[in-house]
Amino acid sequence: MSAASSAASSAPPTALPTAPPQPDPRRWLALVALSLSMLVLSFDTTILNVALPTMADQIGADTGDMQWIVDSYTVVFAALMLPAGLLGDRFGRRTMLVAGLAVFLAGSLLGSLVHSPGPVIAARTVMGLGGAFVMPLALSVIPSLFGPAERPKAVAVASTAMAFGMPLGPIIGGALLEHFWWGSVFLVNIPLVALAIAACFALLPETTDPAAPRVRATSTFCTAAGLGALVYGIIEAPTRGWGDPLVVAMLAAGAVLLATLVVRERSVERPMLDMSLLRQRGFLWNTVAATLVSFILTGTVFVLPSYLQSTLGYDALGTGLRLLPMMGGLMVAARIAPALAARGGPRPVIVAGLLVLAAGAFLGATTADGDGYGHTAVWLAVAGVGFGLSIVPAMNTALGALPRERAGSGSGLLQTLRQTGAAIGVAILGSVLAAGYTGRLDTAGLSPDATATARDSVIGAHAVAARLGDRALAASADSSYLHGMNLTLVVCGAASLVTALLLAAFLPNPRQERTAAPPAAQGAEGADTMAARPADARQ
């Protein structure tokens, strides 16, 4: 086993195979290395969300700071995944994946050493740079290792690894915050990343695609600057006002830069942003579903910890444990979704998942003052099932629609759109939350400084209330935050419901259409041929 692993790790880079891969038990060991890389990213995302209320208290981060602590990572992540995927295609996916993990490790170390919101945001930016190489390259290797028959299982394994990291992060993060300083949630990444790097070197074969398009600096700048400006405008709007000149200028600049990116990429012969992939209905609509789920999941996990800690009064560990119903529902649904999609096609499973997600969000929006954790646990579990049912078949079918020789750029585009949805989700849902909170908060009788602190965040309001002995302010802060959270859940439910209706109307269903094919196409040879083709070619 060690000799085989050594041979795989020391072999020279090879071009991406054009024929379906031959059975090789090392593929599943390689999948372990990929899954460990994905685990690191999901672990970091959820451990940070549990730490945000503690960070707000200890380093003086307001709601805008907390949004940027999350979005500085996701904006860079989304902006650089396309060039990262292309660099991996050209210079070696394993090499670039390991390099990304090393940068992620450096950012984690930096984050554990700083003591104010600005440097934390900088550390998260470095981590986003590393993560931009990890996610698309880990996914782009899957089509080169597994054929259409095995790909659903491989995607499910990788998705389960990510799902496993989501509940693991809050639990370990909560335990760390009980005994150590907030920077320990960054420091704990270091052994995980080191293990992932070792696993990639030992188990993952090197693959390349020398024909991949080159990375263009102008397109990369337009992506990063455009997305950053758009997110900045959305985050600042609740505080400054949507008509504020700076907010309007940033939103306009973001729109212009992103439009310039699309126009420029459509005009070149071999674009980084391959918009032609979006002409394939299978890829387009599955990507829409995956992006929407990322929008809702990231935004929901952002708003929940402050409610559980500040309003319901749980500590960091208790908060992590109380996120388990969502993570448990997600993991269970992620395991059964591939089998359901294989029987009836992906469309009914994805649509059902989005409807279940909408039901969970609308149920959560009925949370009232005085409701205990029981109500929250129910809607979290329902939403988790919806997440799991929708994300796994959507991701698998989107990857299956990609031509094998465009795996890197295609998965990079998919992940860019997903992470863009995540960044915008935190920005929009965080802004809805902030507007709902500040619009209801009663600060009558407070000094200007106390009012500003109370309006910054629910944690700041509780700090002011404790200093002044003002129980009415604490009660108003809890009620106002709950109102803002309910508004965000209404937005989540409506977005999920609209997307479910659109997918029911426009998403192709490969399994259903294949079973309706002429008998001549259903023989052993015909079935093998169709299974080997991209999903969109069967539609």
Side-chain angles (χ1 to χ4, degrees):
M1 177 62 212
S2 60
S5 300
S6 176
S9 63
S10 61
T14 58
L16 186 69
T18 57
Q22 296 300 315
D24 184 344
R26 287 181 299 172
R27 292 174 303 147
W28 296 101
L29 293 175
L31 184 62
V32 171
L34 298 176
S35 299
L36 188 56
S37 301
M38 307 282 272
L39 175 66
V40 169
L41 297 187
S42 64
F43 177 93
D44 175 75
T45 300
T46 55
I47 197 174
L48 179 69
N49 277 281
V50 170
L52 283 176
T54 303
M55 295 170 67
D57 181 46
Q58 295 185 6
I59 66 175
D62 59 25
T63 299
D65 291 330
M66 289 190 287
Q67 285 175 274
W68 272 114
I69 288 171
V70 176
D71 268 347
S72 61
Y73 175 91
T74 51
V75 166
V76 174
F77 198 133
L80 298 182
M81 274 195 298
L82 271 176
L86 295 175
L87 289 172
D89 284 345
R90 181 159 298 204
F91 298 110
R93 296 189 177 97
R94 185 185 65 184
T95 298
M96 293 293 103
L97 177 59
V98 170
L101 287 167
V103 172
F104 189 90
L105 186 150
S108 299
L109 182 60
L110 175 63
S112 69
L113 299 175
V114 296
H115 304 287
S116 59
V120 171
I121 292 171
R124 290 288 293 168
T125 301
V126 174
M127 294 171 70
L129 173 61
F133 282 83
V134 175
M135 179 71 79
L137 293 175
L139 282 176
S140 69
V141 172
I142 290 178
S144 69
L145 294 176
F146 300 93
E150 293 178 316
R151 191 183 301 121
K153 185 176 180 180
V155 172
V157 169
S159 299
T160 301
M162 291 195 70
F164 181 71
M166 295 176 73
L168 189 64
I171 294 171
I172 294 180
L176 288 170
L177 292 172
E178 288 294 305
H179 300 94
F180 304 100
W181 88 115
W182 63 266
S184 61
V185 300
F186 290 99
L187 199 63
V188 73
N189 288 333
I190 294 176
L192 286 174
V193 175
L195 183 59
I197 291 174
C200 287
F201 272 125
L203 301 173
L204 194 62
E206 183 70 284
T207 58
T208 64
D209 178 13
R214 67 182 179 88
V215 175
R216 295 180 177 84
T218 303
S219 296
T220 301
F221 170 79
C222 286
T223 306
L227 184 57
L230 185 64
V231 169
Y232 181 88
I234 295 172
I235 288 177
E236 290 296 316
T239 302
R240 296 174 176 269
W242 288 96
D244 180 81
L246 178 61
V247 170
V248 173
M250 296 303 288
L251 293 175
V256 169
L257 286 168
L258 293 176
T260 301
L261 168 70
V262 173
V263 171
R264 175 178 172 79
E265 289 298 290
R266 292 185 64 178
S267 67
V268 299
E269 183 178 354
R270 304 205 57 207
M272 284 174 49
L273 187 68
D274 194 350
M275 302 299 292
S276 66
L277 290 172
L278 297 179
R279 290 198 291 266
Q280 302 180 35
R281 285 197 306 150
F283 183 78
L284 169 63
W285 288 105
N286 281 289
T287 299
V288 168
T291 301
L292 184 278
V293 171
S294 297
F295 173 98
I296 296 176
L297 178 59
T298 308
T300 302
V301 174
F302 175 77
V303 303
L304 266 174
S306 289
Y307 169 70
L308 293 173
Q309 292 188 38
S310 298
T311 303
L312 296 187
Y314 297 111
D315 58 20
L317 178 57
T319 296
L321 291 172
R322 284 166 178 82
L323 290 175
L324 286 179
M326 174 185 285
M327 308 311 174
L330 192 156
M331 292 178 67
V332 170
R335 290 183 63 86
I336 65 174
L340 294 175
R343 295 184 62 181
R347 181 172 61 198
V349 181
I350 298 170
V351 171
L354 289 169
L355 292 175
V356 171
L357 178 55
F362 286 135
L363 179 61
T366 65
T367 305
D369 290 326
D371 283 348
Y373 172 70
H375 180 81
T376 301
V378 171
W379 76 259
L380 283 179
V382 174
V385 171
F387 286 132
L389 287 177
S390 52
I391 191 65
V392 172
M395 291 287 292
N396 176 62
T397 310
L399 288 173
L402 294 173
R404 298 178 64 82
E405 68 276 7
R406 294 159 77 184
S409 58
S411 63
L413 174 61
L414 170 62
Q415 291 304 323
T416 294
L417 294 175
R418 282 192 63 215
Q419 292 303 317
T420 298
I424 293 176
V426 171
I428 291 179
L429 298 180
S431 296
V432 170
L433 172 69
Y437 169 72
T438 57
R440 284 287 185 95
L441 183 66
D442 183 5
T443 58
L446 297 179
S447 68
D449 288 343
T451 297
T453 301
R455 290 171 64 86
D456 277 342
S457 68
V458 64
I459 294 169
H462 275 273
V464 172
R467 186 174 69 248
L468 300 178
D470 190 343
R471 294 184 178 179
L473 175 60
S476 176
D478 290 342
S479 177
S480 299
Y481 191 88
L482 178 59
H483 172 69
M485 187 183 78
N486 286 344
L487 286 178
T488 67
L489 291 175
V490 169
V491 173
C492 290
S496 185
L497 182 59
V498 170
T499 305
L501 296 176
L502 289 173
L503 294 181
F506 299 111
L507 179 66
N509 198 35
R511 175 71 180 180
Q512 184 181 43
E513 295 183 9
R514 185 178 64 182
T515 56
Q522 297 182 15
E525 182 178 356
D528 290 343
T529 301
M530 295 189 73
R533 294 167 61 192
D536 194 67
R538 301 195 300 268
Q539 296 160 13

